Amino acid sequence: MDTFSLAFFVLAFLIVASAIFVVSSKNIFHSAIFLILALSGVAGLFVMLHAYFLAAAQVLIYVGAISVLMIFAVMLTSRIADKEIRHTNEQVGIGLLISGGLLAVILYSLYNTPFTISDQPIAEGAGMTLGRLLLTKFVLPFEVVSVLLLAALIGAIIIARRDTKTGDSVPPRPIPLPKSLQQAKGESES
Amino acid sequence: MTVGLPHFLALSAIVFCIGVYGMLTRRNAVGVLMSIELMFNAVNITLVAFAHYITPQDVTGQVVAVFTIAVAAAEATVALAIVLLIYQHHKGIDVDNVNIMKW
């Protein structure tokens, strides 16, 4: 067994084990910690697949930002003393059935699909090519994603902000109905 | 036994199904979000593995993975803001109790 295979199986074990802990741990804080471990393992897989930019982005965005966001949410919402309450709903059986069936279908189709593995050498300077593609061929999706991120930023602030005077949370105001619809609603109620 | 594309795809399928299981069975809303992040990562593994093994001269698969990461970040931000709002209104983030949009 060569080093590549060994590294793959070590990382695969790490990712799968910590993913199972993420979904089954009773303490949600432990779930967050194991999520960081699983995401780091995925970054290792990206390095093995020669996607160095993505590995760096994975560490920066997932391990750095999203995990911190998750831990913030855990700290702000759940009480650590809540450990003894049930952490799963009544759908454990059907959830196992659905995910197991999905796994069986995917693995079956994977086993029966012939993949044409290319024998060309791996392109040098993939990071440079990636940057060039983002600003030439994929420039429209790139800009759309940046607008999406801006919208998500503003939306998150609007949703979670508090009133500066009373300290209460300010839910987004309901959109008023148009005049014609308001009249129709009033008539139907009267 | 050499590790190739099917190994990466199988690992990705396993992680995705673990995420599906967590999303279906978790009661804590933050736990559901974590499961969704796992599923995003499984899809990213698939994209990068295909890009590496099928088209080694082309990095388009990696470009799509970059977009996936960006969309996942946006999703996590908005979803966590909604979770905080639900916590303030319901005094808990048990998704079984948050069925106000169901009629």
Side-chain angles (χ1 to χ4, degrees):
Chain A
M1 187 183 276
D2 54 334
T3 322
F4 186 81
S5 305
L6 189 69
F8 173 79
F9 283 115
V10 168
L11 281 175
F13 177 76
L14 178 80
I15 293 169
V16 172
S18 38
I20 289 173
F21 274 117
V22 168
V23 297
S24 67
S25 173
K26 280 192 167 53
N27 189 338
I28 193 73
F29 190 76
H30 292 173
S31 288
I33 301 295
F34 278 113
L35 183 71
I36 297 178
L37 203 57
L39 298 178
S40 314
V42 174
L45 279 189
F46 286 165
V47 173
M48 286 178 67
L49 290 168
H50 295 266
Y52 302 117
F53 173 76
L54 272 178
Q58 173 89 5
V59 172
L60 281 176
I61 296 173
Y62 274 109
V63 182
I66 291 186
S67 304
V68 172
L69 213 59
M70 290 284 172
I71 291 176
F72 257 107
V74 170
M75 296 284 191
L76 285 174
T77 54
S78 71
R79 295 170 288 274
I80 304 292
D82 282 355
K83 268 179 285 188
E84 69 273 11
I85 62 166
R86 229 157 29 98
H87 67 285
T88 54
N89 54 18
E90 298 83 30
Q91 296 169 341
V92 174
I94 197 162
L96 271 178
L97 196 71
I98 289 174
S99 54
L102 186 63
L103 183 63
V105 169
I106 294 176
L107 289 183
Y108 176 76
S109 57
L110 183 61
Y111 187 72
N112 287 300
T113 309
F115 293 110
T116 50
I117 304 290
S118 169
D119 51 0
Q120 289 174 313
I122 297 146
E124 290 295 319
M128 201 173 71
T129 323
L130 190 86
R132 195 161 285 158
L133 272 180
L134 274 179
L135 287 180
T136 53
K137 193 176 167 189
F138 293 97
V139 66
L140 181 64
F142 184 70
E143 296 298 333
V144 171
V145 161
S146 52
V147 173
L148 173 77
L149 280 172
L150 180 67
L153 185 74
I154 296 172
I157 293 171
I158 296 280
I159 290 171
R161 78 186 163 141
R162 283 165 178 274
D163 194 324
T164 47
K165 284 176 193 159
T166 60
D168 294 335
S169 64
V170 183
R173 247 175 267 123
I175 300 164
L177 285 171
K179 281 278 167 53
S180 53
L181 281 176
Q182 276 179 353
Q183 283 172 355
K185 200 181 168 197
E187 283 165 12
S188 68
E189 280 170 357
S190 62
Chain B
M1 185 171 75
T2 53
V3 168
L5 178 61
H7 293 80
F8 282 96
L9 296 184
L11 171 68
S12 151
I14 292 169
V15 175
F16 188 86
C17 291
I18 293 172
V20 169
Y21 171 76
M23 194 191 75
L24 289 175
T25 58
R26 272 284 189 193
R27 291 175 84 213
N28 192 321
V30 183
V32 174
L33 287 178
M34 288 180 192
S35 308
I36 293 175
E37 295 301 328
L38 275 182
M39 289 157 72
F40 271 121
N41 269 274
V43 173
N44 274 344
I45 296 174
T46 314
L47 286 169
V48 179
F50 273 131
H52 181 258
Y53 280 103
I54 307 268
T55 57
Q57 291 288 329
D58 193 2
V59 293
T60 310
Q62 294 189 26
V63 176
V64 180
V66 169
F67 291 144
T68 316
I69 291 178
V71 173
E75 175 262 350
T77 319
V78 175
L80 287 173
I82 293 173
V83 165
L84 288 184
L85 197 67
I86 287 174
Y87 181 73
Q88 287 163 8
H89 279 234
H90 289 253
K91 305 295 171 223
I93 46 169
D94 189 341
V95 286
D96 287 353
N97 297 336
V98 186
N99 53 4
I100 47 173
M101 288 176 76
K102 197 162 104 180
W103 56 281

